[in-house]
Amino acid sequence: MYVVLLEYTAPLDEVDYTLPDHVEWLKKQYEAGYFLASGRQVPRVGGVIIARPMVRGKLDALLATDPFAIRKLAKYQVVEFQATRTAPELARVNEAVMG
């Protein structure tokens, strides 16, 4: 699994202008089954995405299509981890990928 930390690199008014496109992009990633959770950091300096296990190159390619990335409004830090303990809902996700 991955935790993706987005850090805004542009003023919030520029981020807010692109936010509808970013939200639509997120929706497509959820529909495709790639993302498990996402939201704003508090304070609002960026965002967080939790992504399902996948080949790292695929995740990098997905992130490159984010309107925030295309417009250079955010930079991304990707942390890969192997969940060794999860809530029952996430255990099913891990089993489906590893199974």
Side-chain angles (χ1 to χ4, degrees):
M1 298 177 80
Y2 299 92
V3 175
V4 180
L5 302 174
L6 285 74
E7 180 184 338
Y8 299 139
T9 58
L12 284 179
D13 61 333
E14 292 180 43
V15 171
D16 287 342
Y17 179 79
T18 305
L19 191 57
D21 294 335
H22 173 73
V23 170
E24 184 61 29
W25 173 81
L26 285 170
K27 179 181 172 187
K28 290 177 183 176
Q29 307 320 312
Y30 279 103
E31 289 171 352
Y34 297 133
F35 293 171
L36 299 172
S38 60
R40 293 179 177 172
Q41 291 187 40
V42 177
R44 192 174 174 214
V45 295
V48 178
I49 299 169
I50 299 177
R52 292 179 182 266
M54 66 183 79
V55 175
R56 172 63 190 266
K58 181 173 187 161
L59 178 61
D60 291 339
L62 288 173
L63 295 175
T65 66
D66 180 357
F68 285 169
I70 293 168
R71 296 180 181 142
K72 299 185 183 352
L73 301 177
K75 62 181 180 180
Y76 302 78
Q77 177 186 359
V78 178
V79 178
E80 183 176 3
F81 74 101
Q82 185 173 20
T84 55
R85 188 170 198 178
T86 62
E89 301 87 334
L90 287 180
R92 288 191 294 276
V93 169
N94 205 27
E95 289 171 8
V97 172
M98 303 301 279

